[in-house]
Amino acid sequence: MKSKLITIYKIILFFYCITTFAQQPANFGFEVLSSTDAMPQYWLPMGTDYKVFPDSIHKLSGKYSVSVKYASNEGKFGSIINQFPNKYNGKKITLEGYIKTKEIKDITAGLFIRLNKGQKMVAVDTMAGREVKGTTDWQKYSTTIDLKEADYIYVAGFVKGQGQAWFDDFRVLIDNEPLLDFESMPKESFKANADHEFDESSKFSIENLSTKEIDNLYELGKAWGQLKYTNTKVAKGEYNWDYELFRAFHMIQEKDFNNKLNDWVVRYGENQNSIPQNNYYLDFYPNVGNPIFQNEKEYKEMNFSDDGYRLLALFRYWNMIEYFFPYKHLIKKDWDQVLKQYIPEILEANDELSYQLTLMKLLAEVEDSHAGIYNPSKVSLKERGRKVPPLQIKFIENKAVVVKIADSFPQLSNIKTGDEIIAIDGKETEERIDEIEKYISASNFPTKLRDITYRLLATNKEELKLTLSNEKGQYEMSIPTIFANDVYNLFTTDQPSHKELDKNIGYIYPGTLKEGEIKEIMTSFMNKKGIVVDLRCYPSDFIVFSMGNFLMPKPTSFVKFKNHNQKKLEGFYMSEPLQVGIDFQDYYKGKIAILVNEETQSNAEYTAMAFQVAPKARVFGSQTAGADGNVSEIVLPGGFKTYMTGIGVYYPDGTETQQIGIRIDEPIKPNIQSVREGRDLVLEKALEYLK
């Protein structure tokens, strides 16, 4: 009995050390997997010498259960846990779920529920005396405690001893009424949602902006942002913080502005240098840590001539980057000076088009390939041009080169792949690039050129006059245009997810993988001499661990993350390295060639980092997009949506990947001559290594 009590105490103590990592109950069926590790999203593995993983074979319902399996005789307990705030009224709280067990020796398993007020535990139940023992099939279990006053609720499934347990279909009930996934406090309970004074207009305008007023707006924008994320009352949703900014704008024209601003800050009281929990405007993704900017109004119907709303967009975005962008240190411009620079620019942008273009310039200052306006307005699309010629171009040797020509347009027969575009409607290509690039958000120059290709030939004309050049000299052609979406469809091919290049070489193209298909592919490729993994695409399935487990003889560190500490307003911390692979004697022992270029971004870069630690793996190609890490959505007035890279991704030795991209063993790029000859130099170099 004594040993049982000690073990339960250790479980409770272990859970005591958990920090906040969820703001709502979520993913109780374990169906959503994390994009950064092989775990159900919003759940955290805990324990010693146990493996926790989603299981698609032994499941009660849906696609997955979660399994907790002992890994050594030293294992004491293992568990999977979810934590969320207590926002509920009731007398009793119940956790129920299904458990299946397989015993090797002395196994017990059960459900765990606990309430915390601050760091103090106020109620707990571990199913002591009612645990599941031995080998059992799926059965439903439950545990109930009094719903006392508490800040946080913890729910978990745990295993003790030698064996394996599976958990599925958890539910949390308050007085027998189930909580739904992502259930949150009703909006009307927040005072911020009852403030409608400025729904139609900010009631602020300014003319003949002076240098002093720019300085005052700069100070107000910074003070507003700091209060937004640190003030206790603001965090509780007691104020509509956008509208408090509108109410404060009048101060910038006061002679004693500094005193007025100080009084304004003090008036809200309870300001602190840390981030209050249960924050109305801020959350962090569980298990991952990138910020969630919540309760940010879109103002889709805003009047674009409204000075206050445009300043709100600038201040909102600037403060999000200031406090939560893990790569702020890589921004080339002084971020404070960016704020000052864009105050007059955003105020001059008093129509829809100029406002959106100014936002695009602002986003480009961050140099993050995840940024950019993802839902441009119709006005912007019309200005940019909705049509393009039926050609596909890429920058080869920093020149705009035709790489594909639509077969269905015989009038283009004079154009050949490898021809360089010298001018567009009489304007030199370099000049056109200069016009576009200031609006392109990109982490590095190759990626900026990649994104410029989508706009370079855009027009509203029925024909586009191009000046081209090849080995025979220059020539001009008037080329018909079609809508951009139709051109995209012309060049979309059904590239197979895998094939054999010969009997000894396998080829995998993750861009068209079906969910779960990689296991079957790897099983069939295990005896191949070499495997090509072509990551010059965005993977359609998350294969870091499902494929990585085939490639490693043992768990191997491949990445570590830089996360916001979620408590202090400023400051990040570096995680311990994450590993890929399992102890697997029959791992794939052949050579692996990983192909990359500027199309390799985010998930593709992360996948390449994981696979390149395999024993005989080498990376071939050119600089990748340099935008790795989970993204956070940002909504700006006017309904415009953008993203930022929300966590830092580094090699285990601390080497940056943002802007730089992943490490390349064999640098090689296509050249214009190889395009003309239809050769893939990167693949050719990789095959030399594999053979």
Side-chain angles (χ1 to χ4, degrees):
M1 182 65 180
K2 180 178 179 181
S3 63
K4 180 186 288 187
L5 290 175
I6 290 173
T7 303
I8 292 173
Y9 172 75
K10 287 182 178 179
I11 295 174
I12 294 172
L13 183 63
F14 210 97
F15 283 25
Y16 179 83
C17 300
I18 298 171
T19 57
T20 302
F21 61 87
Q23 289 295 334
Q24 60 261 325
N27 200 19
F28 286 156
F30 309 110
E31 296 300 290
V32 182
L33 301 187
S34 168
S35 61
T36 59
D37 54 34
M39 281 291 298
Q41 185 81 5
Y42 310 114
W43 290 83
L44 186 69
M46 305 294 287
T48 55
D49 293 300
Y50 278 78
K51 294 181 178 179
V52 182
F53 56 92
D55 192 325
S56 61
I57 305 299
H58 304 279
K59 57 190 179 180
L60 181 70
S61 66
K63 295 184 293 184
Y64 303 102
S65 69
V66 65
S67 178
V68 182
K69 181 181 181 181
Y70 97 108
S72 79
N73 293 338
E74 300 300 319
K76 302 299 182 183
F77 75 94
S79 63
I80 184 163
I81 182 171
N82 195 336
Q83 176 208 358
F84 48 91
N86 177 25
K87 301 177 179 179
Y88 312 103
N89 296 316
K91 296 180 179 180
K92 299 284 185 180
I93 180 169
T94 299
L95 169 64
E96 63 179 36
Y98 288 82
I99 304 175
K100 174 181 176 178
T101 58
K102 179 180 178 181
E103 181 181 29
I104 295 177
K105 182 181 178 182
D106 299 330
I107 184 176
T108 59
L111 303 176
F112 177 102
I113 187 167
R114 175 184 140 189
L115 304 177
N116 257 43
K117 186 170 179 59
Q119 295 296 318
K120 183 180 179 181
M121 181 180 66
V122 295
V124 66
D125 185 87
T126 61
M127 285 184 62
R130 298 175 288 120
E131 300 105 324
V132 184
K133 297 181 180 181
T135 298
T136 66
D137 203 352
W138 288 110
Q139 293 185 51
K140 184 178 179 179
Y141 300 89
S142 66
T143 181
T144 300
I145 58 176
D146 292 336
L147 184 57
K148 299 181 180 180
E149 183 180 352
D151 297 321
Y152 294 104
I153 300 167
Y154 298 81
V155 296
F158 70 88
V159 180
K160 298 177 287 182
Q162 298 177 27
Q164 185 174 9
W166 293 263
F167 302 92
D168 208 350
D169 289 357
F170 278 16
R171 289 205 310 168
V172 175
L173 304 96
I174 305 294
D175 295 339
N176 296 318
E177 292 295 326
L179 303 184
L180 301 177
D181 276 7
F182 305 104
E183 183 177 50
S184 60
M185 186 180 290
K187 289 186 176 181
E188 58 268 18
S189 63
F190 294 106
K191 293 181 180 178
N193 295 306
D195 187 349
H196 300 288
E197 181 177 351
F198 301 95
D199 287 355
E200 303 297 328
S201 166
S202 72
K203 304 177 183 179
F204 173 76
S205 63
I206 188 167
E207 296 181 3
N208 302 318
L209 185 68
S210 68
T211 302
K212 180 61 176 174
E213 286 169 332
I214 293 173
D215 291 340
N216 291 351
L217 283 168
Y218 164 82
E219 295 294 343
L220 175 60
K222 294 187 70 173
W224 175 83
Q226 185 177 32
L227 282 174
K228 180 176 183 177
Y229 296 118
T230 61
N231 184 270
T232 304
K233 292 181 179 179
V234 176
K236 290 180 179 179
E238 293 188 15
Y239 298 101
N240 181 323
W241 204 236
D242 294 351
Y243 292 179
E244 292 301 301
L245 175 65
F246 297 160
R247 294 183 177 103
F249 274 140
H250 70 89
M251 291 191 300
I252 69 164
Q253 296 169 329
E254 301 283 349
K255 292 183 178 180
D256 58 343
F257 168 77
N258 290 332
N259 290 332
K260 296 284 187 182
L261 180 63
N262 183 66
D263 292 342
W264 182 77
V265 170
V266 171
R267 185 177 69 196
Y268 293 99
E270 299 184 66
N271 190 33
Q272 55 192 54
N273 197 30
S274 59
I275 300 174
Q277 300 300 301
N278 300 330
N279 200 302
Y280 179 75
Y281 286 107
L282 182 67
D283 196 356
F284 294 90
Y285 281 99
N287 294 353
V288 182
N290 54 310
I292 301 171
F293 301 112
Q294 57 193 15
N295 290 310
E296 298 288 1
K297 293 186 177 182
E298 298 184 12
Y299 305 111
K300 289 184 178 180
E301 306 302 323
M302 69 173 277
N303 184 330
F304 292 99
S305 66
D306 191 309
D307 292 345
Y309 276 111
R310 299 200 309 281
L311 284 169
L312 170 63
L314 172 62
F315 292 169
R316 181 186 288 181
Y317 184 74
W318 187 90
N319 280 285
M320 288 171 174
I321 298 298
E322 169 74 2
Y323 296 117
F324 303 106
F325 185 47
Y327 297 120
K328 194 182 78 169
H329 63 285
L330 296 178
I331 299 175
K332 292 182 177 62
K333 285 187 178 181
D334 181 277
W335 192 236
D336 279 356
Q337 290 305 310
V338 169
L339 178 58
K340 275 196 175 181
Q341 172 191 334
Y342 276 84
I343 288 171
E345 288 192 27
I346 203 77
L347 286 171
E348 290 172 6
N350 58 4
D351 59 58
E352 183 174 359
L353 178 61
S354 61
Y355 170 66
Q356 182 175 338
L357 291 175
T358 303
L359 288 182
M360 292 169 66
K361 283 179 58 182
L362 172 64
L363 302 182
E365 303 283 8
V366 178
E367 298 175 284
D368 180 11
S369 297
H370 280 139
I373 299 294
Y374 282 77
N375 58 336
S377 67
K378 292 180 180 179
V379 171
S380 172
L381 290 173
K382 183 177 179 180
E383 174 70 18
R384 182 190 305 173
R386 294 176 177 272
K387 293 186 172 184
V388 292
L391 305 170
Q392 189 176 83
I393 61 172
K394 285 190 176 182
F395 279 91
I396 310 292
E397 300 181 69
N398 290 338
K399 297 177 180 178
V401 174
V402 177
V403 294
K404 287 185 181 180
I405 305 157
D407 295 334
S408 53
F409 288 81
Q411 61 267 51
L412 304 182
S413 59
N414 290 336
I415 302 177
K416 305 297 181 185
T417 55
D419 287 3
E420 179 191 350
I421 298 173
I422 302 296
I424 304 158
D425 271 348
K427 182 177 291 186
E428 291 187 359
T429 302
E430 288 81 0
E431 184 180 352
R432 179 73 179 128
I433 291 170
D434 289 341
E435 293 174 347
I436 297 171
E437 68 171 335
K438 60 178 172 287
Y439 301 115
I440 303 294
S441 303
S443 300
N444 53 47
F445 188 61
T447 310
K448 179 164 284 196
L449 289 178
R450 177 199 74 185
D451 291 350
I452 285 173
T453 62
Y454 305 139
R455 305 184 188 189
L456 189 63
L457 303 183
T459 183
N460 288 313
K461 298 179 180 179
E462 297 298 320
E463 288 188 337
L464 196 64
K465 183 179 179 181
L466 296 182
T467 305
L468 300 102
S469 172
N470 56 30
E471 62 270 31
K472 296 180 181 179
Q474 289 190 11
Y475 66 98
E476 291 185 352
M477 281 193 68
S478 292
I479 301 175
T481 62
I482 60 176
F483 286 108
N485 286 341
D486 295 331
V487 172
Y488 173 81
N489 293 331
L490 283 175
F491 295 116
T492 299
T493 58
D494 295 326
Q495 183 165 346
S497 62
H498 64 288
K499 60 185 177 181
E500 291 185 350
L501 299 182
D502 60 38
K503 291 183 179 180
N504 290 318
I505 305 295
Y507 174 90
I508 300 173
Y509 184 73
T512 54
L513 281 170
K514 297 177 182 177
E515 183 178 349
E517 183 186 20
I518 194 63
K519 293 182 180 179
E520 180 182 342
I521 295 171
M522 281 304 301
T523 300
S524 67
F525 282 179
M526 290 299 281
N527 293 321
K528 298 291 185 187
K529 182 180 179 180
I531 296 176
V532 174
V533 184
D534 193 343
L535 282 166
R536 296 174 294 182
C537 60
Y538 194 89
S540 58
D541 191 19
F542 185 70
I543 59 172
V544 167
F545 300 99
S546 56
M547 182 172 171
N549 289 346
F550 284 95
L551 307 180
M552 315 295 165
K554 61 181 180 180
T556 307
S557 298
F558 75 100
V559 69
K560 61 182 179 180
F561 304 112
K562 180 180 177 183
N563 295 97
H564 199 282
N565 61 29
Q566 302 186 20
K567 291 184 178 179
K568 293 183 180 179
L569 184 57
E570 296 185 81
F572 293 80
Y573 71 92
M574 199 72 76
S575 72
E576 291 298 316
L578 181 66
Q579 295 183 326
V580 61
I582 57 175
D583 291 318
F584 187 32
Q585 292 183 351
D586 297 325
Y587 72 98
Y588 176 72
K589 296 179 176 63
K591 294 180 178 180
I592 303 164
I594 303 163
L595 314 187
V596 300
N597 64 6
E598 69 278 0
E599 302 289 341
T600 309
Q601 178 170 318
S602 195
N603 182 14
E605 291 178 290
Y606 188 68
T607 304
M609 291 175 70
F611 294 173
Q612 71 181 147
V613 299
K616 295 181 181 179
R618 293 184 71 79
V619 179
F620 298 80
S622 54
Q623 187 175 24
T624 61
D628 204 348
N630 294 54
V631 297
S632 294
E633 183 182 78
I634 295 173
V635 178
L636 298 174
F640 296 113
K641 292 185 179 181
T642 184
Y643 294 88
M644 77 173 192
T645 305
I647 62 172
V649 176
Y650 295 76
Y651 282 99
D653 64 2
T655 301
E656 296 265 15
T657 63
Q658 182 77 1
Q659 297 188 3
I660 298 170
I662 69 162
R663 290 171 177 161
I664 297 173
D665 301 301
E666 298 282 349
I668 185 167
K669 298 179 181 180
N671 55 49
I672 293 176
Q673 188 60 35
S674 69
V675 173
R676 289 171 178 166
E677 295 172 358
R679 296 170 57 196
D680 186 340
L681 297 184
V682 179
L683 179 59
E684 289 179 11
K685 190 71 173 179
L687 291 176
E688 288 179 17
Y689 167 68
L690 296 180
K691 294 178 178 179

